[in-house]
Amino acid sequence: MPSMSETEMLKAWDRRYFWHPFTQMQCYGDDDPWIIERAEGHYLYDVDGARCLDAVASLWCNVHGHRHPRLDAALLEQLGKVAHTTALGASNPPAIRLAKKLVECTPESLQHCFFSEDGSEAVEVAIKMAAQYWANIGRPQKHLFLTLDNAYHGDTVGAVSVGGFPLFHEVYGHLLFPTRRLPSPYVLQWEQCQGDAAQAAKLWLNTLEVVLLAEKDHIAALILEGGVQGAAGILPFPPGVLSGAQKLCNTHEVLLVVDEVATGFGRSGQLFSCQKEQVEPDLLALGKGLSGGYLPIAATLTSEAIYQAFLAPFGEAKQFYYGHTFTANPLAAAVALENLSIFAEGYLLSEIPNKIEKLRAGLEVFHHQPWAGEPRQFGLMAAIPLRDPATGAAYPYGERVEYMVCKRAREMGVYSRPLGDLLTIVPPLSVTEQEIDTILHTLFDAMAEGRTQ
Ligand code: PLP
């Protein structure tokens, strides 16, 4: 018998040993595993030698493309010094510099930076900080969190608690802490306000105010994504929601946590999405693009008032009880610093409006197609609903037609990922306008082909 090729062996081991995230492993075994061996710029190369345009920025985190010479060099330089040391009772130069730069480039209200490893953790940190803040200043009864239907803030227990995905609450509900849920502003806009954004913002803010008036003595914080409910299917907030929420939170002594894990680092067209409405949050969660999508590092930025509430004589136990083995890892911090240096040069952000417009114009061809619903866009992220032309509705969940269409697009050279019944386009920010065209044309063809198996 011929011996297995190395590629076949890897695929067999992948199926046998590697339990993949958010994956039904029983189905994973049916497919030919897609194993990415290397990447260059905006292209991924798999072990079978095929190349594919990365239209989802490796899960919305890649900023400047893969193997960026400056990011690679920053990483290698730091590797020549030390790969990891602890931040508990010690510090390291890249993390110190990164904390300073993050405070300088985020809204003025944010004065201190706490590191963690990924977006879910940045949210966990924000939740624990907000609750402990109120306890430390003698108001422990303020421990409830206000959040949105369909919110996604990550998949750890705290992050799921403040999330609003019914499925996750169904499966893990017994582990979660209770929250107060507000309607999704986008759903309100389209289900109750006939698409009128101004009316929806007003209605949503009224709803928020009613809840705040009734329960402000028990509410620690309101947590909102940075202007769009991303994982819920790219559901943009009507303008005025974020800034109006901040005003109401200030008035009623409730903290505002803005989760910019997905929207931070240029995705909205601004470095941070909350800057669009001059929002000054009390806590800001960042992840994904912080290291340009290179290494796991996240950050929670806090106001001076929150930081001050944790200062006390040692024995009073007011310090923040959080910190993991790899917190503030110097390799990740060094590459994040270089990422911010590239942003500071300005050219990337200045090019984004044209790319956003290119994406908007290109999405028009999907309107009124029998196999597509209305596309949605927020900055340089978009989603196109896949529809069964026979019924005009989404395909039944279990049939995985979205998955098959994405697989077909990949065979045509573009990697997109399904998100429920949607196909997503969230490319690296350095994507070219020509590549945006390629992504749109390929998805158009793959979606028009529809069910292929
Ligand atoms: N918050 C938001 C808004 C997100 O979109 C995500 C991930 O998509 C997270 C938090 C969780 O980030 P991570 O997957 O890095 O834990």
Side-chain angles (χ1 to χ4, degrees):
M1 253 181 42
S3 65
M4 259 188 182
S5 73
E6 180 148 357
T7 301
E8 289 313 308
M9 193 174 65
L10 278 174
K11 289 180 181 177
W13 287 352
D14 187 30
R15 289 194 191 94
R16 165 66 182 84
Y17 296 110
F18 187 171
W19 187 346
H20 287 257
F22 279 101
T23 301
Q24 177 44 263
M25 292 307 290
Q26 186 166 309
C27 304
Y28 189 80
D30 298 342
D31 296 322
D32 192 25
W34 184 42
I35 305 175
I36 301 160
E37 191 169 45
R38 64 189 181 87
E40 197 79 46
H42 306 142
Y43 288 88
L44 308 170
Y45 295 81
D46 67 29
V47 288
D48 294 310
R51 97 176 183 154
C52 197
L53 184 50
D54 184 1
V56 286
S58 297
L59 216 51
W60 309 7
C61 67
N62 190 279
V63 178
H64 310 284
H66 301 272
R67 300 289 328 271
H68 190 284
R70 284 175 58 180
L71 299 183
D72 284 11
L75 191 51
L76 286 174
E77 191 188 331
Q78 180 57 38
L79 198 56
K81 295 174 184 164
V82 60
H84 185 66
T85 54
T86 181
L88 275 66
S91 200
N92 69 74
I96 297 167
R97 291 200 172 93
L98 181 61
K100 177 175 182 286
K101 272 207 174 174
L102 284 171
V103 167
E104 286 167 357
C105 70
T106 49
E108 185 72 34
S109 56
L110 303 164
Q111 291 297 316
H112 301 272
C113 174
F114 192 94
F115 288 115
S116 56
E117 278 81 88
D118 55 40
S120 305
E121 256 203 271
V123 169
E124 292 282 341
V125 166
I127 295 168
K128 287 180 81 174
M129 266 184 186
Q132 194 178 341
Y133 163 76
W134 291 113
N136 279 3
I137 65 167
R139 299 177 72 182
Q141 72 282 7
K142 274 172 80 69
H143 56 75
L144 264 179
F145 285 82
L146 267 184
T147 176
L148 295 184
D149 287 339
N150 304 315
Y152 183 72
H153 296 290
D155 58 15
T156 51
V157 169
V160 174
S161 295
V162 295
F165 271 33
L167 176 67
F168 299 166
H169 282 254
E170 210 177 290
V171 179
Y172 301 110
H174 52 299
L175 300 177
L176 308 178
F177 57 76
T179 59
R180 293 285 179 275
R181 206 86 70 68
L182 294 163
S184 156
Y186 179 90
V187 173
L188 205 69
Q189 179 181 350
W190 291 98
E191 289 190 355
Q192 290 184 39
C193 303
Q194 293 77 46
D196 184 330
Q199 194 192 343
K202 203 168 152 206
L203 186 58
W204 187 84
L205 289 167
N206 285 345
T207 311
L208 171 62
E209 188 158 34
V210 169
V211 176
L212 290 176
L213 283 169
E215 297 200 67
K216 63 183 178 189
D217 291 341
H218 299 284
I219 298 173
L222 164 67
I223 177 162
L224 296 175
E225 285 164 73
V228 62
Q229 292 192 278
I234 321 287
L235 310 178
F237 293 173
V241 160
L242 267 185
S243 52
Q246 193 208 321
K247 283 195 193 88
L248 288 173
C249 285
N250 286 353
T251 306
H252 296 290
E253 295 187 302
V254 162
L255 300 176
L256 175 65
V257 181
V258 178
D259 173 358
E260 290 229 36
V261 169
T263 54
F265 303 100
R267 186 60 63 190
S268 68
Q270 308 258 337
L271 190 55
F272 300 105
S273 176
C274 60
Q275 291 166 330
K276 275 189 166 176
E277 295 187 8
Q278 290 84 46
V279 172
E280 299 274 344
D282 300 290
L283 292 144
L284 177 71
L286 301 174
K288 290 195 186 280
L290 173 53
S291 64
Y294 260 53
L295 284 172
I297 183 164
T300 307
L301 281 290
T302 80
S303 68
E304 188 61 40
I306 291 177
Y307 180 76
Q308 289 293 330
F310 287 75
L311 304 181
F314 187 76
E316 285 187 21
K318 283 194 171 177
Q319 61 263 50
F320 188 45
Y321 292 104
Y322 197 100
H324 292 188
T325 307
F326 290 104
T327 295
N329 171 261
L331 289 177
V335 79
L337 261 179
E338 191 61 18
N339 172 39
L340 287 183
S341 298
I342 299 173
F343 270 111
E345 288 164 16
Y347 64 89
L348 188 63
L349 283 175
S350 72
E351 288 167 0
I352 290 178
N354 285 344
K355 297 180 189 181
I356 292 174
E357 174 52 26
K358 178 86 185 167
L359 182 59
R360 190 205 59 73
L363 286 168
E364 280 180 9
V365 294
F366 292 85
H367 288 275
H368 311 303
Q369 298 293 347
W371 39 261
E374 289 293 292
R376 298 193 285 269
Q377 184 185 2
F378 177 84
L380 205 53
M381 50 164 58
I384 312 159
L386 182 70
R387 295 287 171 259
D388 180 351
T391 62
Y395 288 95
Y397 175 65
E399 292 186 12
R400 303 172 76 221
V401 180
E402 296 80 10
Y403 171 82
M404 289 183 240
V405 170
C406 283
K407 197 168 166 223
R408 182 75 190 109
R410 212 177 75 214
E411 286 160 7
M412 296 175 183
V414 167
Y415 174 43
S416 169
R417 256 182 68 84
L419 188 62
D421 61 346
L422 308 163
L423 267 68
T424 49
I425 304 174
V426 189
L429 298 191
S430 52
V431 69
T432 64
E433 293 191 28
Q434 202 179 355
E435 286 166 344
I436 292 176
D437 263 342
T438 305
I439 292 167
L440 289 163
H441 286 136
T442 307
L443 291 190
F444 186 97
D445 291 345
M447 290 176 82
E449 255 182 45
R451 191 199 291 272
T452 53
Q453 291 170 33

